[in-house]
Amino acid sequence: MTAHPDLTRNQSLVLHTLNAANGSLSAYDILDKLRAEGLRAPLQVYRALDKLVEFGLIHRLESLNAFISCADPQDHEAHAHGVTAFAICDSCGQVTEFHDHAIEHRLQQWQASRSFKPEKTTIEIRGACSNCS
Amino acid sequence: MTAHPDLTRNQSLVLHTLNAANGSLSAYDILDKLRAEGLRAPLQVYRALDKLVEFGLIHRLESLNAFISCADPQDHEAHAHGVTAFAICDSCGQVTEFHDHAIEHRLQQWQASRSFKPEKTTIEIRGACSNCS
DNA sequence: TTTATTGCGTTATGCTATAACGTATGGCAT
DNA sequence: ATGCCATACGTTATAGCATAACGCAATAAA
């Protein structure tokens, strides 16, 4: 919630739009919401999104081609190099972010056994949340 | 779970193209390779891909928007409801499919604790394989 | 002052995926 | 056989996601 001191105007607009959203938003969803603020082109949004992902303030959901604000950006340092998992309800759109050290450890074991150097790990569960089943 | 029916011509063409490929292919990659066989439209490929995924003969890689043939389609029954994980080398494109029961169990625990009903789980590690690092 | 970096805005383009229409075929109950 | 249904097919058009390439502006560093 505390504004990142280094954010540009476009980055702030995009971050606040994602913070205000209930679930995830596509880049074009964001663009549509920000036309009133003067944004006109997809690149203005994509460039901001790239930076916000880099800062650890938002996540990209690969299976949705969409973006969501980080559940706990203050904790960024703590799990900056950790694995973030998501449970995504296909009915209501609710996205729950979680971290599981056991899973992370198991993945590290596999990577070590294959000398695979991980850059980014995606874990996404699509399904129905408790409210929707 | 019953055995999948015989493949149609389009389905066979798409499956054989993926089997012959070294790594993953996008739908449009496949279309380009099959123009010589008479395929002309994306939908012809996408419809075949949908069925092949349904039959468990291929996988969709969410972080690449691409498809790859299943490493062990004979084993379909054994892990039809299991979780498949992928390690994807961003340098050479090699994709390694693996299964880890401990990770699967841990995800099941999380899902049970939240009453979340999973439909499809994506685990993809992007990085550099041993040959490329 | 000069140079390098970063962000911005714009136009154009490319890649990924599906909607909607009509046609054809094969199974099967009547 | 007739009618019905389910599935696959081919085509055109469109929707949705993402980046290339250009030039300009502001700022920081040498």
Side-chain angles (χ1 to χ4, degrees), chain A residues 18-133:
Chain A
L18 279 173
N19 283 341
N22 254 341
S24 62
L25 296 175
S26 76
Y28 280 75
D29 290 339
I30 295 168
L31 176 57
D32 287 341
K33 288 179 185 291
L34 289 178
R35 287 195 195 278
E37 311 297 332
L39 271 69
R40 307 186 43 88
L43 258 193
Q44 296 175 282
V45 173
Y46 278 108
R47 292 202 272 230
L49 288 169
D50 285 347
K51 283 299 181 185
L52 293 171
V53 167
E54 184 185 324
F55 297 156
L57 297 174
I58 67 172
H59 299 285
R60 175 182 168 82
L61 299 176
E62 298 292 346
S63 70
L64 291 179
N65 293 328
F67 300 83
I68 191 165
S69 61
C70 182
D72 192 358
Q74 280 94 330
D75 211 358
H76 178 214
E77 293 289 330
H79 54 250
H81 299 294
V83 175
T84 303
F86 301 92
I88 302 165
C89 179
D90 288 327
S91 174
C92 69
Q94 181 191 86
V95 178
T96 304
E97 177 181 340
F98 66 99
H99 301 267
D100 187 296
H101 185 265
I103 291 174
E104 191 176 339
H105 185 62
R106 203 81 180 124
L107 289 175
Q108 281 168 355
Q109 286 183 315
W110 188 93
Q111 290 152 11
S113 74
R114 302 302 191 100
S115 300
F116 189 94
K117 239 180 120 184
E119 284 296 333
K120 192 201 172 190
T121 299
T122 297
I123 301 180
E124 296 176 16
I125 312 169
R126 302 279 295 268
C129 73
S130 56
N131 285 337
C132 293
S133 37

Side-chain angles (χ1 to χ4, degrees), chain B:
Chain B
M1 260 304 174
T2 62
H4 62 77
D6 288 337
L7 299 184
T8 66
R9 167 175 161 82
N10 285 359
Q11 289 161 14
S12 290
L13 287 170
V14 168
L15 180 58
H16 291 143
T17 302
L18 280 172
N19 283 340
N22 254 339
S24 62
L25 296 175
S26 75
Y28 282 77
D29 290 339
I30 296 168
L31 176 58
D32 286 342
K33 288 178 185 292
L34 289 177
R35 286 196 194 278
E37 312 296 332
L39 271 70
R40 307 184 45 92
L43 257 195
Q44 297 175 282
V45 173
Y46 278 108
R47 290 201 273 230
L49 287 169
D50 285 347
K51 284 299 180 186
L52 293 171
V53 167
E54 183 185 325
F55 298 156
L57 298 174
I58 68 172
H59 300 285
R60 175 181 166 81
L61 299 175
E62 298 291 346
S63 71
L64 290 179
N65 293 326
F67 301 84
I68 191 164
S69 61
C70 182
D72 192 358
Q74 281 94 329
D75 210 0
H76 178 213
E77 296 285 331
H79 55 249
H81 298 296
V83 175
T84 302
F86 301 91
I88 302 165
C89 178
D90 286 328
S91 174
C92 70
Q94 182 190 86
V95 178
T96 304
E97 177 180 340
F98 65 99
H99 302 267
D100 186 297
H101 185 265
I103 291 174
E104 191 175 340
H105 184 64
R106 201 81 181 126
L107 288 175
Q108 282 168 354
Q109 286 184 314
W110 188 93
Q111 289 152 11
S113 73
R114 302 301 192 101
S115 300
F116 189 95
K117 290 193 172 148
E119 286 296 332
K120 192 202 172 189
T121 299
T122 297
I123 302 180
E124 296 176 16
I125 312 169
R126 301 279 295 270
C129 73
S130 57
N131 285 337
C132 294
S133 38

